[in-house]
Amino acid sequence: MKKASAWFIVAFVLAGLAISQYMEKDSAIIAASGDFKPKAGYSAQQFELQALDEQMYKIGGEQGKLSFVNFWASWCGPCELEAPDLQELHEKYGDKIAMYGVNSTKFDKERAARQFVLDHEFTFTILMDREGDVTKEYKVNTFPTTFLIDSKGVIRERINGVIPLSEWDRLIEKYS
């Protein structure tokens, strides 16, 4: 009986170690996998969109600094609430991060989106997802949704909804 319980304990410990190793995969290993999942630990899928300034911008991959990518719509009440904080973050960290607002234009009206940008005096880059492909690819179904993507192109945070400015400060300092 002692031999069987000893083997059970050994098997249990080894299974625990295997699970622990699996759960503690390095984010670089996760990021290197071919499956894109729009969540922390995975490589950000690269995309290119036209901005309000008519230029094309490529997001994802190695960018050299933290990218702040915020998906929003003009009709979204929480986006309205968050807008002043986004502008403040851009003014505070504009040299430290690349900040992008992605208007989910397929689910919005472009005229309303442009007015939203003017009303809130945004000075960071606003990208227009007119076809909705990027919004769909990143599985954004609530607004606002923000991704913090590190300089190597790995998603570090996915934030659904609004968080306090102090929490944004903490996260930006943590990853930049």
Side-chain angles (χ1 to χ4, degrees):
M1 190 70 127
K2 283 185 176 181
K3 214 177 207 181
S5 63
W7 281 110
F8 176 77
I9 291 171
V10 168
F12 186 76
V13 168
L14 290 175
L17 286 172
I19 290 170
S20 174
Q21 287 293 94
Y22 175 77
M23 298 302 285
E24 293 178 11
K25 275 187 178 177
D26 183 58
S27 62
I29 294 170
I30 294 171
S33 73
D35 298 324
F36 172 61
K37 294 185 181 174
K39 62 183 187 177
Y42 287 83
S43 289
Q45 190 72 24
Q46 283 192 335
F47 64 89
E48 189 172 18
L49 288 173
Q50 188 175 39
L52 289 178
D53 66 7
E54 304 303 321
Q55 293 184 48
M56 297 297 289
Y57 291 83
K58 190 177 284 189
I59 313 300
E62 291 194 32
Q63 297 284 326
K65 58 179 160 179
L66 183 70
S67 292
F68 184 108
V69 183
N70 175 267
F71 287 82
W72 63 279
S74 65
W75 48 260
C76 161
C79 299
E80 180 86 25
L81 183 69
E82 179 183 62
D85 289 350
L86 296 181
Q87 182 58 34
E88 187 172 331
L89 289 170
H90 176 63
E91 290 170 9
K92 186 173 183 178
Y93 298 106
D95 59 332
K96 203 174 193 181
I97 66 172
M99 190 160 180
Y100 304 97
V102 178
N103 176 257
S104 296
T105 318
K106 181 174 181 173
F107 306 103
D108 203 352
K109 291 186 175 14
E110 187 160 339
R111 179 180 288 200
R114 288 176 180 274
Q115 189 61 52
F116 188 94
V117 170
L118 289 173
D119 290 347
H120 293 287
E121 301 176 351
F122 286 162
T123 57
F124 54 93
T125 303
I126 302 298
L127 306 171
M128 305 303 282
D129 187 13
R130 292 180 176 101
E131 303 301 317
D133 295 337
V134 177
T135 301
K136 181 179 178 182
E137 185 172 41
Y138 272 75
K139 296 179 176 39
V140 173
N141 51 23
T142 59
F143 298 104
T145 296
T146 304
F147 293 87
L148 293 181
I149 304 168
D150 72 13
S151 62
K152 302 282 191 218
V154 176
I155 298 170
R156 291 296 167 197
E157 297 285 340
R158 177 189 175 123
I159 309 292
N160 296 321
V162 179
I163 63 174
L165 187 59
S166 60
E167 183 62 9
W168 282 127
D169 287 330
R170 185 187 73 75
L171 291 171
I172 289 169
E173 290 298 330
K174 179 178 179 180
Y175 295 115
S176 58

